[in-house]
């Protein structure tokens, strides 16, 4: 098969690595890719926002399947345009991608189909939103309705913070993404991520995983795209797993089908384990980043037939197999991230680090130049490891981190800390 992967992050490097291992593959391209992806795929310069250019590339190169990594092209309808051109594409349609593209859409779906979530209201003017938060009190959560590069959520501990967030959003702080605002009840509890591969009707859960969103150890500092992840997580017990499937994932699939917008692709639920059971606080419509990196390491099955079955509505008789060993990833980011950071700094020691048993390094934001690897983004490397236990995976990943010579980078030192503590008993 000829496969084209779209994206340039650590998620796409992990997907490229896994797709490249498929015996079904004859040729893999990635647009635009990065310095690490270049080892698994031929990186091509293509403007992913230009759907006509992507279609033309697929026709010229007889591409059989397009795999879309990030949410932006999905929300922009790239799967619809490829499908119309007769090219198979993995991921949801534009309408189905509203689950990530519009927070209000998801909340209304939850209300209609009785999916547990926090109380909420949608607003398109500041005055009503301010009156609502004043009536509700803090803590309360203020969300820009549209895509805001993972930054559109303010968990306000005080009324003043909520008021400031509302003002900022309606003043255009997130551009058109904030033209509508959703205000949501604050949910207290442990946060977990739940993933399912879907084909419009059937959902096959992926191995459980947890990420770490705050930039510093012990969940301090601002939110990021994710500073590390591990799988499986001991906090998704079989009982919680069943509750999430039966109360959240399956009703969502049924509701989307009923609305005439069946969901295909990876459904990624952000779930709070509250005192009143699991509650959904957001959907994403693609693999997680960095959760995908640990999923790909643990996935025993060939991924390509799974992606095809999702596109073709054939997951009913499908089964995904996983290695029992835990996997963990530590994100190495450029100093200053998620604020301003330098690009172009040199990274050494990657080959030595990759030789450590169980270790795999995915590139999230690098560029290869004159034989050297240079940082080219905020999140730069995903240092991953597998082990017999989470503790062993953690020790190996940090051994690899310590072998990497990159004075301009940093990472969290406590990825999977709570899971390791739980494992020790
Ligand atoms: P998001 O950008 O949607 O991933 O949200 C960022 C973070 O905000 C999430 O990872 C949660 O930690 C937090 N969050 C979102 N919604 C709520 C909520 N209703 N209650 C508490 N925390 C929330």
């Amino acid at each position: 098969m000829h496969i084209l992967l779209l994206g340039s992050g650590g998620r796409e490097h992990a997907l490229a690595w896994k797709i490249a291992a498929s015996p079904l593959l004859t040729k893999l391209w990635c647009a635009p890719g990065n310095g690490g992806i270049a080892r698994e795929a031929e990186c091509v310069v293509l403007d992913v926002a230009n759907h006509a250019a992507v279609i033309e590339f697929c026709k010229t190169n007889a591409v059989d399947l397009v795999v879309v990594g990030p949410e932006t092209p999905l929300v922009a309808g790239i799967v619809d345009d490829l499908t119309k051109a007769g090219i198979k594409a993995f991921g949801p349609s534009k309408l189905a991608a509203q689950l990530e593209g519009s927070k209000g859409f998801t909340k209304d779906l939850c209300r209609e189909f009785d999916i547990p979530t926090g109380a909420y209201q949608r607003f398109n003017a500041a005055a009503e939103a301010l009156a609502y938060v004043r009536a509700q009190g803090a803590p309360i959560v203020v969300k820009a309705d549209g895509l805001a590069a993972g930054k559109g959520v303010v968990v306000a501990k005080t009324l003043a913070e909520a008021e400031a967030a509302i003002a900022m959003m309606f003043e255009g702080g997130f551009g058109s993404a904030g033209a509508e605002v959703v205000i949501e009840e604050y949910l207290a509890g442990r946060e977990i991520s739940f993933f399912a591969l879907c084909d419009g009707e059937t959902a096959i859960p992926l191995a459980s995983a947890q990420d770490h969103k705050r930039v510093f150890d012990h969940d301090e500092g601002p939110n990021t795209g994710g500073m590390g992840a591990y799988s499986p997580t001991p906090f998704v017990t079989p009982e919680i797993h069943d509750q999430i499937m039966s109360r959240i994932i399956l009703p969502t699939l049924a509701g989307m089908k009923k609305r005439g917008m069946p969901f295909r692709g990876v459904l990624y639920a952000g779930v709070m384990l509250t005192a009143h059971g699991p509650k959904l606080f957001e959907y994403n419509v693609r693999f997680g980043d960095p959760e995908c990196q640990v999923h790909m390491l643990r996935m025993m099955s060939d991924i390509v037939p799974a992606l095809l079955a999702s596109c073709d509505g054939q997951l009913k008789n499908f089964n995904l197999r996983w290695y029992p060993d835990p996997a963990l990833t530590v994100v190495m980011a450029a100093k200053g991230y998620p604020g301003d950071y330098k690009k172009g700094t040199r990274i050494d020691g990657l080959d030595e680090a990759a030789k450590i048993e169980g270790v795999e390094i995915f590139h999230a934001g690098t560029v290869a130049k004159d034989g050297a690897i240079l940082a080219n983004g905020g999140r730069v490397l995903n240092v991953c490891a597998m082990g017999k236990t989470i503790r062993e995976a953690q020790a190996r990943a940090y051994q690899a981190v310590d072998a990497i010579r990159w004075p301009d980078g940093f990472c969290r030192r406590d990825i999977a800390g709570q899971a390791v503590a739980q494992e020790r008993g």
Side-chain angles (χ1 to χ4, degrees), residues 9-357:
R11 168 181 52 214
E12 287 76 28
H13 189 182
L15 284 169
W17 175 83
K18 186 68 186 159
I19 292 169
S22 171
L24 294 172
L25 184 78
T26 43
K27 174 79 189 177
L28 178 63
W29 292 270
C30 184
N34 68 35
I37 294 174
R39 278 182 289 166
E40 326 284 348
E42 181 182 335
C43 294
V44 287
V45 183
L46 253 181
D47 176 7
V48 173
N50 182 346
H51 298 184
V54 176
I55 290 168
E56 194 189 313
F57 179 89
C58 292
K59 291 200 163 153
T60 309
N61 294 286
V63 169
D64 301 295
L65 174 67
V66 178
V67 180
V68 187
E71 63 278 12
T72 306
L74 293 169
V75 171
I78 196 161
V79 168
D80 310 61
D81 290 340
L82 286 163
T83 308
K84 263 184 240 143
I87 300 154
K88 204 182 286 267
F90 173 77
S93 67
K94 183 174 183 163
L95 286 175
Q98 288 179 95
L99 284 174
E100 179 163 359
S102 165
K103 295 204 155 63
F105 173 90
T106 295
K107 298 297 286 187
D108 288 352
L109 187 91
C110 289
R111 185 177 277 167
E112 184 178 346
F113 296 99
D114 222 6
I115 296 163
T117 189
Y120 74 102
Q121 268 200 51
R122 303 175 72 166
F123 297 94
N124 43 35
E128 289 86 357
L130 289 170
Y132 181 77
V133 295
R134 283 171 193 148
Q136 298 292 316
I140 196 153
V141 185
V142 182
K143 302 185 172 185
D145 182 72
L147 291 187
K151 296 185 186 123
V153 173
V154 175
V155 179
K157 293 200 186 75
T158 63
L159 201 52
E161 275 177 66
E163 290 171 350
I166 290 166
M168 177 268 287
M169 288 183 198
F170 282 115
E171 278 159 20
F174 294 120
S176 60
E180 185 179 329
V181 164
V182 174
I183 299 185
E184 193 181 305
E185 174 190 352
Y186 172 80
L187 301 170
R190 184 185 291 282
E191 182 178 334
I192 58 108
S193 308
F194 193 95
F195 297 84
L197 182 67
C198 304
D199 70 353
E201 274 187 40
T202 302
I204 301 187
L206 305 187
S208 68
Q210 187 166 30
D211 75 348
H212 298 258
K213 284 228 187 284
R214 300 298 192 98
V215 70
F216 299 127
D217 285 13
H218 314 300
D219 291 333
E220 307 267 349
N223 262 326
T224 69
M227 294 301 291
Y230 64 94
S231 167
T233 157
F235 306 113
V236 179
T237 60
E239 189 195 355
I240 290 173
H241 174 104
D242 291 349
Q243 287 173 355
I244 294 173
M245 278 301 283
S246 64
R247 296 183 196 166
I248 298 177
I249 303 292
L250 293 175
T252 298
L253 274 198
M256 291 296 282
K257 189 177 166 204
K258 201 165 164 204
R259 284 192 174 187
M261 39 185 96
F263 185 89
R264 299 189 188 89
V266 173
L267 187 58
Y268 160 174
V271 176
M272 203 67 85
L273 305 179
T274 73
H276 306 286
K279 290 193 180 182
L280 179 79
F281 63 82
E282 67 162 348
Y283 270 132
N284 298 300
V285 296
R286 29 96 191 159
F287 283 103
D289 189 351
E291 295 95 325
C292 182
Q293 289 78 319
V294 291
H295 280 138
M296 292 305 111
L297 286 174
R298 292 196 63 220
M299 189 183 282
M300 189 189 288
S301 309
D302 183 349
I303 192 173
V304 174
L307 301 176
L308 291 171
S310 160
C311 298
D312 295 343
Q314 296 295 328
L315 284 177
K316 200 160 155 205
N317 302 310
F318 211 85
N319 184 9
L320 275 178
R321 297 178 64 213
W322 303 90
Y323 293 112
D325 290 0
L328 181 139
T329 181
V330 178
V331 171
M332 293 187 78
K335 280 182 186 163
Y337 174 81
D340 293 339
Y341 52 81
K342 265 198 290 190
K343 282 189 182 180
T345 57
R346 187 185 162 108
I347 304 167
D348 287 298
L350 288 169
D351 291 341
E352 294 96 289
K355 283 189 196 127
I356 295 166
E357 190 179 350

Side-chain angles (χ1 to χ4, degrees), residues 393-419:
Q394 189 196 48
R396 286 172 169 175
Y398 282 114
Q399 198 188 336
V401 164
D402 292 335
I404 293 170
R405 297 186 301 281
W406 180 32
D408 298 282
F410 78 99
C411 68
R412 276 181 66 157
R413 302 296 310 195
D414 66 341
I415 302 304
Q418 291 182 340

